[in-house]
Amino acid sequence: MEVLVYLVPLALALGFVGLLGFLWSLKSGQYDDLDGAAWRAIADDEPANDQGPSK
Amino acid sequence: MQADIDFSHYLKNAGTGLIHLDLAVEGINCAGCMAKIERNLSAIPDVTSARVNLTDSRLALEWKAGALDPALFVSRLAELGFKAYPFERDDAETLEAQRAQGLLRRLGVAAFAAMNVMMLSIPVWSGNVSDMLPEQRDFFHWLSALIVLPAAAYSAQPFFSSALSALRARGVNMDVPISIGIVLALATSVIETINHAEHAYFDAAIMLIAFLLAGRYLDQNMRRRTRAFAGNLAALKAETATKFISATEIRTVPAAAIRPGDIVLLRPGERCAVDGNVIEGRSEVDQSLITGETLPAMAAPGSAVFAGTLIRSGTLRVRASAASGGTLLDEISRLLDHALQARSRYLRLAERASRLYAPVVHATAFLTLLGWLAYGATFHDSIVTAIAVLIITCPCALGLAIPAVQTVASGTLFGSGVLLNAGDAIERIAEVDRVIFDKTGTLTLPELDVTNFASIPDDVIELAGRLALSSRHPVAAAVARAAGAAAPLPGIEEDPGQGVHGYHQGHPIRLGRPSFCGADSLANELLHRDPEASVVAFSHGDTRHVFAVRQKLRADAADVVSGLERLGLAVEIVSGDREPAVRLAAETLGIHEWRAGVSPVDKIARIEELARQGCKVLMVGDGLNDAPALAAAHASMSPVSATHVSQAVADAVFLGERLAPVRTAIVVSRKALRLMRQNLWLAVVYNVLAVPIAIAGLVTPLIAAAAMSGSSVLVMLNAMRARGRGTV
């Protein structure tokens, strides 16, 4: 059962990483437009975002 | 016309030399539109980002400061076939959006904690019947506590704070038993863990929180979406005002940018966008949106005009005022405050249920404690059993029963053109047994229309329509619109206050006052038949015709009225308009009860009289004069063309030219209320089954968790029935 010593912290850490990922996605506005997001996934291509020579 | 608007009010600095603009766009409804708009607008040089929000039909633009005129975007969108208007998020919408995001964050925390705890709980559940060492079990319990306690402390705050405020106001709401359940479940679990006991309820507690937060989030998200949609509607009205920026110079600005003291120019055919006092000029004004009175009034220096007034003949200069000195507005806001206080006393179904529920559950738990003590169990065992009763009777089902139905039903209503302003509107609309309609703007369409086309030859209609395009007078505009005219006649001049005239095919042609066209006798004959109509006369050579222009009844008004009666509702008209007009509308629609010339005070008095008789009234109205009555009624609805004040106090706003949404709202709400009651009963049945097990002391954490998710899913599935079928 010594395996618990590293498996349990590992599991907790993974869960924590998942939570941080969720909070990040929330903060960056990924839940603001759920209808649009569903369609963007199957859009042919991203609109050409021509930023000129600065990029 | 759009290009003339001054955008500076809406531009925001997005930092590092970027400018941000939000547009509400009409007609985005598919992925194709979204891609088309984004591709076209990002192709404009200097635009750094163009992102469509499909849920809210909005477009966020950012570009490098200096180079671009924002009007370019609007005209580019118009080329693509979309109407766009700048808008500003109002405070109410920002608040709802923040709340929704806050709930989602808490839901995320609770859900992640629940998943991780489940990972620890399953070994414990299976270990209890096999070979798990007590030390290992304690270790897993402590780990669960480590995850759940901080997660619950954070994510259950909405319940705790709502319960606290209810207790402070000496009331009980659904959050009180929920909070007690959560706190007791956690406290018992900690104590049991310290005592090396077999059962801890960390998993059940956090799962309960996650389920309830899911319900709250759905509810809040629907509210946010409604708010956003209402914001778009306000933007699409594109209310502008012509403001004097110096003594002689004028500029068109958004109505939102007008400050008290600004001087505004109003021309014939315009709808006033601000409240204020006339300082110069005289004009006939149509105040029907404010008072319900269809006969034009006279505005002269010193008289008050209100937002929504239609200017008919002359040009006015108006000084905008914040709190107008107009007695009407003052009186209405006083009545409104009073009526809104009365409404807040309404007790929601959830509150009534929890008022019954909390004492029963808490008494059962207490009796369980006493029972086991009397039976000879130890104090520790008795209290653990009593707490198990509280935990099992604190089901998500009760917390979800009502919000789940509300969310689904408001989604259905949203789809059929009804936006709900208040969360408990569904319950109140479902209970009504009498519908009171205002006439002007509610039973009738707010726009003027020609009523006697049938008696006029087609070629005359076409010619008169083309001629009318040269006039700004609203009555002439109605003729042009009704005739579907698109090509104005050349060489036409306008005689202010009289009409338009010119030559067509060698003959003089005129449209305007009957005396201007020499058609007085025809006009008098028509007015004799229909005293409420405005008359506009037409002459071409020797031909003379008169058009009767008036507000037309909504096309489906009669059907809706009879439909409402079939639903067992009494229908009544209470209008501020004069008797003949109201009588005619009532006779056409087959409504037997009607009152005309009713003041705002008397409208409230009528509603209160009905309330005393035990009637529950749904008030449907649009005018400023209806606002207090809308607030005083048991439930209320407004068409989207209503004044701001009325829309803000109404429980629901309906879109479009049809009256059918009123009936739909009642049908859907009744069904939803039935489902809410069913859900509450489901929750009760669940309790009746589960409580004896808890009293017997047989509840394990596994049973608690299974019962909780089982009942929640059941209630959610039942709520789904509020969708679809039978909504029309």
Side-chain angles (χ1 to χ4, degrees), chain B residues 18 20 98 113 180 190 275 331 334 360 365 370 530 534 569 581 638 671 673 710:
Chain B
L18 291 178
H20 182 100
Q98 277 168 358
I180 293 177
V190 171
D275 295 330
E331 181 180 308
R334 191 176 50 77
V360 170
L370 293 183
D530 186 357
S534 296
L569 295 150
S638 263
K671 186 170 175 190
L673 184 63

Side-chain angles (χ1 to χ4, degrees), chain B residues 280-321:
Chain B
E280 201 187 305
R282 294 174 75 83
S283 169
E284 275 189 343
V285 292
D286 175 353
Q287 304 245 32
S288 64
L289 191 55
I290 294 107
T291 58
E293 168 75 71
T294 45
L295 209 65
M298 201 63 201
S303 52
V305 289
F306 305 97
T309 303
L310 185 67
I311 311 301
R312 288 179 71 145
S313 51
T315 303
L316 297 177
R317 283 190 192 202
V318 169
R319 187 189 299 279
S321 53

